[in-house]
Amino acid sequence: MDEMNGKPVGIRGTGMYVPERVLTNKDLEQMVDTSDEWIVTRTGMRERRIAANDQSTSDLAYEAALEALKNANLPAEELELIVVATITPDLAFPSTACILQDRLGARKAAAFDLSAACSGFIYGLANASALIASGMYKNALVIGAECLSKITDYTDRNTCILFGDGAGAVVLGEVPEGRGFRSFELGADGSGGNLLHSRNKYIYMDGKEVFKFAVKIMNSAAEEALRKAGIAKSEIDLLVPHQANIRIIQYALERLELPESKCAINLDRYGNVSAASIPIALAEADRENRIRPGDKLLFVGFGGGLTWGASVLIW
Ligand code: ACO
């Protein structure tokens, strides 16, 4: 069963970038009342990357975009659409996507930002692929990019251990029949907005409540995306989940009856990079040649809004 209408659209190239500076659990022990042992057992995280003072979200996005365009063999001048999913734009306006469009020299491309927190990349994929499937555009660059360190309160141990900076990018375009995106499942529940939001510039989170929501929604969104795609969980070759907490990912693997070897995990090295977590994990899996043509991929994420998204893709 194919729920997607129009031309088949898939991923033609991936890219990623993380800043050089590493913030370890040991470093955090010097900043707040916490321990490496607590962070590793409660979250699975060991270190995260932090942007330099003069680096902003568009700088990280630019590096990831260059790699994705190169891998897709697409000159920037031929790009028709740029979507940047971020909750840490360089400025309120112009959009980070417009800043990037100028730097890339992508003169033909329409450009806009999208705000759906950690689900932003999947929302971006859904929007861009629908515009290509309809025939409006031939290709699109979709990026998840964040400088969460700029909105993290490093005196709050409940949140500062979780977040990092980075960017992941994909180039979308037409693919052969039978390949590409097979389903999208997007959702939102604005009534839960108070559980995870920016307060006085910084991230505020009710960790326990977000955890409960995450476990539930990862399962239901994944199942719905699989159902729409007509694909059984046993057929999944690679799960690419949002990287919020290893325990949330382990619950998802249990429910999908998948071994950890079929999951892209990088939160131990990068923490939670919000909209950038999924595309960074995907780009790494691609770099490591973990994905073969015809493989069935499942993306699933959740975040502030509250929002969630899942998608099935045949590589
Ligand atoms: N170091 C040591 N102790 C800590 C720390 C820390 N860094 N942080 C909290 N604690 C303490 C708490 O104060 C609490 O102490 P208390 O019992 O004396 O009050 C104790 O540890 C246990 O706290 P819990 O909240 O029960 O810890 P939990 O097991 O729930 O783990 C965590 C907390 C890691 C935040 C977890 O709830 C979680 O991962 N939640 C989901 C987060 C998430 O998915 N966010 C995603 C979206 S982000 C976005 O959209 C930008």
Side-chain angles (χ1 to χ4, degrees):
M1 193 193 84
D2 189 349
E3 76 121 15
M4 307 300 288
N5 294 317
K7 301 171 199 284
V9 179
I11 293 177
R12 306 277 294 268
T14 66
M16 62 161 282
Y17 173 78
V18 289
E20 272 168 37
R21 188 179 152 211
V22 177
L23 181 69
T24 65
N25 290 352
K26 285 275 167 221
D27 296 330
L28 286 161
E29 284 179 356
Q30 310 302 313
M31 299 159 72
V32 288
D33 181 13
T34 190
S35 66
D36 174 52
E37 200 259 334
W38 192 96
I39 301 172
V40 172
T41 52
R42 304 313 289 161
T43 71
M45 293 168 187
R46 294 178 186 276
E47 52 187 54
R48 51 302 281 143
R49 298 302 180 94
I50 305 295
N53 287 340
D54 62 354
Q55 266 182 326
S56 52
T57 297
S58 66
D59 297 314
L60 313 189
Y62 177 70
E63 300 296 336
L66 287 183
E67 190 186 0
L69 288 167
K70 185 163 168 261
N71 283 340
N73 207 9
L74 184 74
E77 308 82 66
E78 287 177 27
L79 255 182
E80 298 191 354
L81 177 67
I82 300 174
V83 181
V84 177
T86 185
I87 52 168
T88 48
D90 290 19
L91 300 163
F93 69 92
S95 67
T96 305
C98 281
I99 296 169
L100 188 62
Q101 187 242 23
D102 178 46
R103 261 188 95 179
L104 288 171
R107 280 175 295 275
K108 280 204 312 202
F112 68 93
D113 285 3
L114 186 158
S115 171
C118 307
S119 317
F121 181 71
I122 298 177
Y123 268 66
L125 291 178
N127 274 278
S129 69
L131 292 171
I132 298 170
S134 74
M136 186 180 283
Y137 296 118
K138 285 197 193 57
N139 58 50
L141 176 66
V142 180
I143 301 182
E146 303 284 7
C147 275
L148 294 177
S149 63
K150 304 209 194 285
I151 59 164
T152 297
D153 177 358
Y154 286 97
T155 65
D156 176 13
R157 70 175 183 174
N158 292 300
T159 53
C160 74
I161 57 154
L162 298 172
F163 302 112
D165 301 338
V170 295
V171 172
L172 302 187
E174 225 182 301
V175 292
E177 208 55 62
R179 298 266 182 85
F181 293 103
R182 311 302 288 186
S183 66
F184 282 102
E185 168 66 12
L186 303 181
D189 176 8
S191 73
N194 60 326
L195 299 179
L196 184 53
H197 61 269
S198 61
R199 180 188 281 179
N200 300 330
K201 167 167 181 236
Y202 293 126
I203 299 170
Y204 166 83
M205 183 179 71
D206 181 336
K208 271 204 176 92
E209 286 305 312
V210 174
F211 192 97
K212 283 191 251 169
F213 157 73
V215 169
K216 207 170 69 193
I217 209 70
M218 291 275 277
N219 181 45
S220 57
E223 290 208 336
E224 193 52 20
L226 288 168
R227 190 195 63 75
K228 285 181 179 174
I231 282 175
K233 27 188 190 187
S234 57
E235 292 179 75
I236 300 167
D237 296 295
L238 188 69
L239 172 69
V240 189
H242 177 47
Q243 310 278 317
N245 188 316
I246 192 67
R247 292 182 290 139
I248 295 173
I249 292 177
Q250 281 160 351
Y251 277 119
L253 286 170
E254 257 170 53
R255 300 299 283 269
L256 291 164
E257 296 167 41
L258 290 175
E260 215 171 278
S261 58
K262 289 197 174 180
C263 186
I265 299 173
N266 63 18
L267 54 72
D268 51 327
R269 285 168 294 130
Y270 305 136
N272 178 347
V273 201
S274 193
S277 277
I278 289 177
I280 292 174
L282 176 69
E284 282 196 328
D286 193 16
R287 278 182 180 182
E288 291 160 9
N289 291 319
R290 283 178 74 185
I291 320 173
R292 311 250 161 242
D295 276 1
K296 297 181 178 76
L297 273 61
L298 173 63
F299 302 101
V300 59
F302 64 92
L306 299 167
T307 55
W308 59 90
S311 176
V312 172
L313 169 89
I314 301 186
W315 194 256

